[in-house]
Amino acid sequence: MSDCIFCKIVAGDIPANIVWQDENILAFRDIQPKAPVHVLLVPKKHVVTFDQLDGQWADTMVSMATAAREVSKIEGVLETGYRLLINNGADAHQEVAHLHMHLFGGRELGPMIKKAPQEG
Ligand code: 5GP
Ligand code: ZN
């Protein structure tokens, strides 16, 4: 997709701090990190949301799992632990319309999700 920022990073048209890649996935540091380790794992082929993945994406999904493991080793968080997060659609605040998995680590990350006040 010509107007997609992550496709431009994959194509090398926009610079990024690349951590790891294979034929299916590019892993690069988030431009606004929310933790000492914050890496984005991005399919090299354009796809908007996680829920669009089907059997044709099997190789990409295996590469995504490999990417998480390899990036966690490179970043030194394999032993201490890390969090994987995919925002899927509007309620989840997906800001970039190209599927990406966040990998957070490097400190104690706190609870998984905050309750809204009315949820007690
Ligand atoms: P989302 O809210 O869609 O799950 O997360 C999008 C993420 O992409 C954000 O954490 C944001 O900081 C990151 N991001 C947006 N534009 C760029 C960019 O041009 N380069 C990099 N490295 N990260 C970006
Ligand atoms: Zn794209």
Side-chain angles (χ1 to χ4, degrees):
M1 286 264 297
S2 57
D3 60 345
C4 170
I5 193 145
F6 285 175
C7 281
K8 287 180 181 166
I9 288 175
V10 168
D13 295 338
I14 293 178
N17 194 333
I18 293 169
V19 177
W20 181 91
Q21 62 182 307
D22 70 1
E23 65 272 30
N24 300 309
I25 297 289
L26 185 69
F28 53 92
R29 295 186 204 291
D30 197 289
I31 203 166
Q32 289 188 298
K34 309 283 192 304
V37 174
H38 186 176
V39 177
L40 301 173
L41 315 180
V42 174
K44 289 186 172 178
K45 270 196 301 185
H46 183 84
V47 59
V48 177
T49 54
F50 184 77
D51 59 19
Q52 291 174 1
L53 298 181
D54 58 18
Q56 294 181 347
W57 292 88
D59 289 350
T60 299
M61 295 172 84
V62 171
S63 284
M64 191 76 103
T66 304
R69 187 172 60 251
E70 295 305 316
V71 169
S72 75
K73 285 185 204 166
I74 291 165
E75 297 295 298
V77 297
L78 179 64
E79 302 298 333
T80 50
Y82 55 92
R83 179 170 295 152
L84 299 171
L85 176 83
I86 296 175
N87 290 321
N88 194 92
D91 273 0
H93 287 226
Q94 182 177 356
E95 289 170 6
V96 176
H98 179 135
L99 170 62
H100 48 284
M101 180 183 278
H102 299 257
L103 188 154
F104 299 105
R107 66 166 164 79
E108 205 285 315
L109 292 167
M112 184 172 70
I113 191 167
K114 276 188 187 160
K115 280 187 177 179
Q118 68 271 18
E119 292 169 340

